[in-house]
């Protein structure tokens, strides 16, 4: 069976500090990978998606970047965090076809102070 | 641009009552619609996936219907239990969207009172 991991589970960082959130998927190969952010009162927003190693598409301009160094690893980064980067970050995967179900990880709660 | 709406934003029912959750979307050009459950501080759990060619899907006490032409989906939860208390989200995969991007509704927060 497939599982998706995210870490850390929670993170408190000062403004201006760097960020690295990691997501890994087990039990599948060549998945599509996604980063979503859920901010208070704003719903779930897609930030990045990747259809393969090194292939990253950004949905919204922002202070964040994503990378996919391995087939089942997806990393969300920032060089300098802003207060507005606070939120609940969710990683998701699917099998690549448009009709496939998406599965979500447990999330990372980021608080920028 | 696809927009997904869930009304009401919150719902409170006594235990045993059936739950009816609504989801509407503006662009009927979709591949599928997915219903999720989210507990406080947790990730999303997929409940049901309905392909655009299907009218409904069932899993245990859950039944989801899809009327693509009118841009509506309904999630029915029979004989609600306190453990059904959570936020329920619907999301669509649009044919015109890049990647398999999910567009989410704002969710309906459900409280089932014992």
């Amino acid at each position: 069976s497939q599982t998706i991991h995210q870490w850390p589970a929670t993170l408190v960082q000062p403004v201006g500090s760097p960020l690295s959130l990691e997501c890994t998927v087990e039990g599948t190969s060549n998945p599509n990978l996604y980063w979503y952010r859920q901010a208070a009162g704003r719903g779930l927003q897609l930030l990045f998606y990747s259809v393969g190693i090194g292939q990253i598409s950004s949905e919204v301009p922002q202070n964040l970047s994503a990378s996919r160094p391995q087939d089942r690893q997806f990393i969300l980064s920032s060089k300098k965090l802003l207060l507005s980067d606070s939120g609940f970050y969710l990683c998701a995967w699917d099998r690549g076809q448009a009709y496939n179900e998406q599965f979500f990880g447990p999330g990372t709660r980021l608080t920028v102070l | 641009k696809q927009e997904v709406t869930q009304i009401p934003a919150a719902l409170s029912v006594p235990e045993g009552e059936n739950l009816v959750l609504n989801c509407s979307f503006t662009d009927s050009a979709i591949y599928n619609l997915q219903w999720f459950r989210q507990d406080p501080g947790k990730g999303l759990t997929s409940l049901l996936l309905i392909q655009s060619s299907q009218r409904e899907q069932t899993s245990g006490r859950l039944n989801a219907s899809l009327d693509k032409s009118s841009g509506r989906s309904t999630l029915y939860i029979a004989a609600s239990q306190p453990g059904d208390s959570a936020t329920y989200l619907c999301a669509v995969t649009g044919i015109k969207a890049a990647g398999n991007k999910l567009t989410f509704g704002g969710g309906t927060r459900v409280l089932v009172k014992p």
Side-chain angles (χ1 to χ4, degrees):
Chain A
S1 65
Q2 298 83 25
T3 54
I4 178 169
H5 304 280
Q6 287 187 245
W7 66 89
T10 60
L11 192 59
V12 180
Q13 292 284 92
V15 168
S17 64
L19 173 74
S20 181
L21 303 182
E22 191 164 341
C23 169
T24 58
V25 180
E26 295 178 354
T28 189
S29 59
N30 303 315
N32 283 355
L33 296 171
Y34 308 84
W35 278 112
Y36 290 86
R37 177 169 59 200
Q38 190 174 36
R42 297 188 63 183
L44 267 153
Q45 181 183 39
L46 178 66
L47 302 176
F48 301 95
Y49 68 93
S50 172
V51 300
I53 296 174
Q55 300 177 62
I56 309 294
S57 296
S58 174
E59 280 293 296
V60 293
Q62 58 206 319
N63 186 41
L64 303 168
S65 62
S67 62
R68 184 170 176 174
Q70 300 181 41
D71 182 46
R72 290 168 290 175
Q73 183 185 31
F74 206 23
I75 297 172
L76 185 69
S77 304
S78 174
K79 293 181 179 178
K80 291 185 178 181
L81 283 169
L82 306 172
L83 288 173
S84 58
D85 292 324
S86 293
F88 192 47
Y89 289 83
L90 290 158
C91 181
W93 74 276
D94 65 35
R95 286 190 173 85
Q97 285 75 39
Y99 47 82
N100 285 150
E101 198 170 358
Q102 273 190 32
F103 300 94
F104 282 73
T108 294
R109 173 73 59 189
L110 172 66
T111 303
V112 183
L113 302 175
Chain B
K1 178 185 173 185
Q2 177 76 269
E3 293 184 0
V4 182
T5 304
Q6 292 183 251
I7 296 174
L11 186 61
S12 180
V13 299
E15 182 178 3
E17 191 166 299
N18 295 334
L19 280 164
V20 180
L21 306 179
N22 298 305
C23 173
S24 61
F25 47 96
T26 56
D27 188 345
S28 61
I30 63 169
Y31 284 116
N32 57 46
L33 183 146
Q34 221 172 320
W35 282 95
F36 294 90
R37 168 185 172 137
Q38 186 176 30
D39 293 291
K42 304 293 184 182
L44 276 63
T45 300
S46 179
L47 298 175
L48 289 168
L49 172 73
I50 311 178
Q51 302 294 351
S52 61
S53 59
Q54 297 176 316
R55 300 281 299 183
E56 67 176 342
Q57 277 282 4
T58 299
S59 176
R61 293 184 295 114
L62 276 59
N63 175 276
S65 66
L66 175 64
D67 184 344
K68 195 176 71 168
S69 59
S70 67
R72 294 181 182 177
S73 177
T74 302
L75 178 66
Y76 301 90
I77 303 177
S80 61
Q81 304 167 0
D84 294 327
S85 298
T87 297
Y88 292 83
L89 296 149
C90 69
V92 298
T93 302
I95 291 173
K96 300 168 193 172
N100 294 340
K101 170 186 174 179
L102 283 174
T103 301
F104 281 87
T108 295
R109 190 169 65 253
V110 170
L111 175 64
V112 180
K113 298 179 179 178

